DNA sequence: TCTGGGGTCCTAGGACCC
DNA sequence: TCTGGGGTCCTAGGACCC
């Protein structure tokens, strides 16, 4: 039946062509763009020297020469490169520049998938007649982004999104790497295991412990064996990835998602009162963003990281959605009490709403009428005021007070 | 070196239902 | 009187990504 359908629809067969476009050292580059005096110098975005628990978000290429890289504790960066220019980061500004770049990319194909603030896939399949060969488009994009935004990008091009993604990281900055049709498997087999996208530190250790040294070692094993060794999902993933068959797909229905806020404290928290206050701050942030997205959730989760870095999480799902900040605060209190090891220093607290759904999908009416909906309406009004004037910080008190 | 913040997906087990 | 199988929902933890 599936075969019949395939045969019935005469599809023009264009060879698939994807680009993966990646902004080089994005945050640091924007800083260098906006501050000419930073150009040619090591710039480190993520925190200022003295920030106890910050990490490096992005290091400019000049800073990377000193061994500084993303996710490195800031104190280490300061030791390696004390003379660098340190900035905390202006994320609004990066978002702005990101949109400029995405706007340019969007001109070259109707299917553009932005996967983060600094990277996107473009499907160029079938656009040749309009824009010329994909390779030229890639070059044109690089030139246009540079000219119009002052930023450089590295581009990977391939018949598979997965390989295009890996290819864009091959030559950086300002690189263009093309993996031609038929070369996919060879490309993957020449890749060090550490460059397989989706294989992190832990899986790498497991691979090494099992005697794997190269992607070819993986290639030579059967899918079944890989599945037994690394689990069904990871096994299949590895099997396909080293063959260049990985099927990342475009589109797909939007899955359930979550909205979270968390904070690592400069100094560990031990007092319940302080902890509750911080939880309230996180809740306010999460609820505000849920309001902006017009979503609701029945599942509330709380995360605690202790001073020894052990991390625990608790969640609970109720039959009715979170109605307001007080409601959510009560749920979080219950969760926190359930997990808290009194006396242990708390270095991080996190709060999230999982499985959020659009407010347009109906909720059973009885579930709404618990007297909470009035509070929800008042809070909604407050959020709207904040929308109009983001500078206005209405929620100043420890707990959001709503007269009902 | 001493480890951010925002997410997604996977695993494995338990409860519950038919 | 020694215990099936499938499906769905939920929970906790962990790996991974940028």
């Amino acid at each position: 039946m599936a075969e019949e359908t395939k045969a019935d629809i005469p599809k023009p067969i264009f060879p698939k062509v994807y680009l993966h476009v990646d902004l080089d050292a994005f945050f640091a580059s924007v800083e260098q763009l906006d501050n000419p005096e930073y150009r040619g110098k090591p710039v480190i975005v993520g925190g200022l020297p003295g920030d106890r628990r910050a990490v490096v978000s992005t290091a400019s290429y000049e800073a990377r020469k000193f061994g500084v890289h993303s996710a490195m504790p800031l104190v280490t960066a300061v030791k390696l490169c004390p003379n660098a220019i340190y900035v905390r980061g202006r994320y609004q500004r990066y978002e702005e520049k990101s949109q400029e770049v995405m706007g340019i990319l969007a001109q070259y194909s109707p299917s553009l998938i932005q996967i983060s603030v600094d990277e996107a896939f473009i499907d160029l399949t079938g656009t040749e007649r309009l824009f010329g060969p994909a390779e030229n488009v890639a070059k044109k994009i690089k030139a246009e982004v540079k000219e119009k935004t002052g930023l450089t990008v590295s581009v990977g091009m391939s018949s598979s999104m997965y390989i295009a993604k890996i290819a864009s990281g091959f030559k950086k900055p300002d690189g263009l790497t093309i993996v031609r049709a038929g070369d996919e498997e060879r490309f993957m087999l020449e890749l060090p295991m550490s460059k397989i996208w989706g294989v992190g530190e832990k899986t790498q250790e497991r691979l090494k412990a099992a005697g794997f040294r190269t992607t070819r070692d993986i290639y030579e094993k059967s899918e079944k064996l890989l599945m037994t060794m690394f689990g069904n999902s990871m096994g299949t993933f590895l099997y396909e990835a080293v063959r260049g068959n990985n099927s990342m797909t475009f589109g797909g229905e939007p899955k359930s998602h979550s909205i979270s806020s968390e904070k690592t404290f400069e100094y560990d928290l031990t007092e319940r009162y302080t902890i509750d206050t911080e939880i309230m701050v996180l809740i306010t942030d999460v609820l505000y963003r849920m309001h902006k997205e017009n979503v609701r959730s029945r599942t509330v989760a709380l995360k605690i990281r202790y001073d020894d870095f052990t991390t625990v999480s608790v969640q609970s799902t109720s039959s009715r959605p979170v109605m307001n900040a007080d409601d959510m605060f009560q749920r979080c209190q219950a969760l926190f009490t359930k997990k808290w090891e009194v006396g242990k220093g708390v270095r991080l607290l996190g709060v999230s709403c999982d499985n959020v759904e659009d407010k347009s999908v109906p909720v059973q009416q009885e579930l709404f009428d618990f007297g909470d909906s009035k509070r929800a309406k008042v809070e909604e009004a407050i959020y709207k005021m904040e929308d109009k004037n983001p500078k206005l910080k209405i929620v100043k008190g420890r707990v959001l007070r709503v007269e009902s």
Side-chain angles (χ1 to χ4, degrees):
Chain A
M1 188 186 145
E3 273 167 333
E4 270 180 34
T5 316
K6 238 187 244 169
D8 285 350
I9 304 167
K11 262 201 279 185
I13 302 158
F14 290 114
K16 294 273 180 202
V17 195
Y18 298 103
L19 299 186
H20 179 261
V21 179
D22 202 330
L23 282 145
D24 299 316
F26 181 44
F27 299 165
S29 299
V30 174
E31 294 303 333
Q32 290 177 322
L33 186 71
D34 289 350
N35 305 280
E37 68 275 22
Y38 293 178
R39 294 178 197 171
K41 294 182 184 158
V43 173
I44 293 167
V45 180
L48 303 182
D51 287 354
R52 289 184 79 240
R53 285 170 172 175
V55 299
V56 175
S57 179
T58 314
S60 73
Y61 282 90
E62 295 86 351
R64 292 182 196 191
K65 286 184 198 146
F66 292 84
V68 178
H69 57 80
S70 295
M72 186 163 87
L74 200 83
V75 292
T76 312
V78 173
K79 276 175 196 151
L80 291 172
C81 195
N83 296 321
I85 294 153
Y86 288 87
V87 294
R88 287 229 170 95
R90 301 138 59 217
Y91 296 91
Q92 298 274 90
R93 175 65 181 145
Y94 308 149
E95 188 55 48
E96 254 176 50
K97 290 304 280 185
S98 168
Q99 283 177 25
E100 278 180 42
V101 175
M102 297 302 157
I104 291 169
L105 304 188
Q107 291 169 2
Y108 291 91
S109 166
S111 40
L112 165 82
I113 293 205
Q114 190 178 343
I115 59 169
S116 75
V117 70
D118 65 349
E119 55 182 310
F121 287 104
I122 311 173
D123 185 351
L124 289 183
T125 306
T127 65
E128 180 148 340
R129 204 162 330 147
L130 214 53
F131 298 116
E135 186 172 342
N136 295 355
V137 174
K139 288 175 183 160
K140 239 156 82 180
I141 285 176
K142 284 169 63 68
E144 192 177 339
V145 170
K146 174 76 183 154
E147 187 204 321
K148 294 193 174 156
T149 70
L151 298 166
T152 66
V153 293
S154 293
V155 178
M157 178 179 139
S158 166
S159 62
S160 106
M161 291 170 71
Y162 183 73
I163 289 182
K165 161 79 186 160
I166 296 177
S168 72
F170 224 63
K171 248 189 297 161
K172 272 179 150 280
D174 203 11
L176 171 59
T177 303
I178 298 172
V179 179
R180 304 208 179 270
D183 280 350
E184 294 88 350
E185 200 171 282
R186 190 177 50 78
F187 177 79
M188 288 305 299
L189 289 177
E190 283 172 5
L191 208 65
M193 279 200 317
S194 59
K195 290 266 177 81
I196 303 176
W197 192 64
V199 170
E201 207 183 322
K202 301 285 174 178
T203 305
Q204 205 138 210
E205 278 168 26
R206 289 180 66 191
L207 282 162
K208 279 186 196 150
F212 293 76
R213 318 238 27 230
T214 65
T215 46
R216 191 174 285 281
D217 294 336
I218 301 173
Y219 183 84
E220 284 163 357
K221 300 290 182 295
S222 73
E223 181 173 13
K224 209 164 236 164
L225 180 62
L226 292 170
M227 283 164 74
T228 339
M229 296 179 82
F230 302 105
N232 290 351
S233 174
M234 182 55 77
T236 304
F237 166 78
L238 288 170
Y239 182 83
E240 297 294 347
V242 295
R243 284 166 177 72
N245 284 342
N246 192 281
S247 57
M248 291 174 78
T249 44
F250 260 110
E253 325 85 65
K255 285 272 170 109
S256 72
H257 81 295
S258 62
I259 295 180
S260 67
S261 187
E262 62 181 54
K263 185 172 167 65
T264 296
F265 306 103
E266 290 260 303
Y267 296 92
D268 299 331
L269 269 34
T270 49
E271 283 173 34
R272 182 63 189 260
Y273 184 88
T274 321
I275 287 166
D276 285 346
T277 305
E278 296 297 343
I279 289 175
M280 196 64 215
V281 171
L282 298 170
I283 287 173
T284 308
D285 180 38
V286 167
L287 289 182
Y288 177 63
R289 282 156 54 205
M290 285 175 68
H291 155 75
K292 279 203 290 193
E293 285 191 35
N294 202 33
V295 291
R296 71 167 101 80
S297 163
R298 294 157 47 228
T299 305
V300 170
L302 184 88
K303 179 160 123 182
I304 307 168
R305 174 123 74 214
Y306 293 107
D307 48 11
D308 61 1
F309 220 71
T310 56
T311 308
V312 292
S313 62
V314 244
Q315 71 182 76
S316 72
T317 301
S318 142
S319 57
R320 63 201 177 100
V322 172
M323 299 298 297
N324 55 50
D326 279 352
D327 176 17
M328 180 137 167
F329 185 60
Q330 274 175 34
R331 300 191 199 206
C332 286
Q333 286 252 322
L335 293 175
F336 184 78
T337 305
K338 200 167 138 191
K339 275 286 173 177
W340 188 30
E341 293 179 51
V342 184
K344 259 179 128 175
V346 172
R347 77 174 271 146
L348 170 146
L349 286 169
V351 148
S352 82
C353 280
D354 294 336
N355 290 311
V356 303
E357 60 174 11
D358 205 278
K359 272 189 189 155
S360 62
V361 338
V363 174
Q364 279 149 311
Q365 194 48 51
E366 343 116 40
L367 299 180
F368 250 120
D369 293 330
F370 267 79
D372 279 333
S373 53
K374 190 172 178 184
R375 279 161 173 264
K377 291 213 174 89
V378 176
E379 284 180 24
E380 195 78 1
I382 293 174
Y383 290 136
K384 288 210 173 99
M385 289 173 68
E386 285 191 335
D387 277 346
K388 283 196 192 121
N389 182 359
K391 289 269 149 64
L392 188 70
K393 254 294 165 221
I394 294 176
V395 186
K396 266 285 189 281
R398 187 173 97 93
V399 172
L400 182 59
R401 289 272 159 227
V402 178
E403 304 306 326
S404 43

